[in-house]
Amino acid sequence: MMRRRRWMTAVGGFMLGATGVMAAVPAAAPGVLASLEAGQWELVERGDTPSRRLVCIGNRTQLIQIRHAGVVCRQQLMTDDMQETTVHYLCPGTGEGHTTIRAVTPRSAVIETQGLVNGVPFQLNVEARRIGACPVPKRGR
C-alpha cells in the first residue's frame, strides 16, 4: 500500500508539472545506472510466469523503460543515489511508468517497474544481470 501511495504521489506531482522535487534525467546515466556496466544483459521477470529476455545495453538508461523500450518518453528523476534510482516517465499516446533500479553489483540489479501501456496496467519485478559483451552484428555479403 505504501509503495502504491508513493507511486500515486509521484504520478500526481509529475502530471502537475511540479518543479524542485523532480529533474529531467540527464543524458549521462544517473547514480546507480552509472555504476552498472554496459553490455548484454539478461532480464528475468519474477512471478507466476517468469520470462527471460536478452538486451544489449549501451546507454544504461534503457533499463528505465523496459515496457516502453524504443519509445520516446519524457523522463523525470525522482530519487538518485549510488544505491537506488527512481524515475517516472510519460510516453505521449502510449502510456507511462515508474521505475526503481537498485544495483547489487556493477553486473547485477533489481528493477521494479509499474505503469500503463496503451491503457493496460503492468507491474514487473526484474532481476537483471550482465552476461557479457553485446554480440557483434553479422555483416551481409
Side-chain angles (χ1 to χ4, degrees):
M1 184 66 170
M2 182 63 122
R3 177 174 295 188
R4 184 171 185 78
R5 195 172 305 142
R6 279 191 299 168
W7 186 77
M8 295 306 283
T9 300
V11 169
F14 183 80
M15 298 306 272
L16 292 173
T19 59
V21 175
M22 298 178 281
V25 176
V32 159
L33 296 177
S35 72
L36 299 176
E37 295 180 15
Q40 187 168 37
W41 283 70
E42 176 184 49
L43 305 179
V44 178
E45 291 180 30
R46 296 186 248 170
D48 295 336
T49 55
S51 68
R52 178 181 171 265
R53 182 168 43 140
L54 298 178
V55 294
C56 183
I57 302 294
N59 179 346
R60 290 167 265 343
T61 60
Q62 292 171 261
L63 293 172
I64 294 169
Q65 294 178 207
I66 294 173
R67 276 289 196 241
H68 292 90
V71 178
V72 177
C73 304
R74 183 175 141 205
Q75 298 179 344
Q76 294 292 317
L77 189 60
M78 306 295 287
T79 61
D80 184 36
D81 59 39
M82 292 309 292
Q83 285 77 41
E84 183 175 285
T85 294
T86 300
V87 175
H88 182 79
Y89 60 91
L90 181 62
C91 312
T94 311
E96 64 184 284
H98 185 86
T99 302
T100 298
I101 301 173
R102 281 186 290 287
V104 178
T105 71
R107 294 176 171 224
S108 66
V110 174
I111 303 169
E112 295 176 356
T113 185
Q114 61 184 338
L116 298 170
V117 175
N118 297 321
V120 179
F122 70 88
Q123 181 172 358
L124 303 173
N125 291 311
V126 177
E127 292 180 18
R129 66 183 182 99
R130 185 181 185 278
I131 58 174
C134 292
V136 177
K138 295 180 181 178
R139 294 184 121 157
R141 294 186 187 240

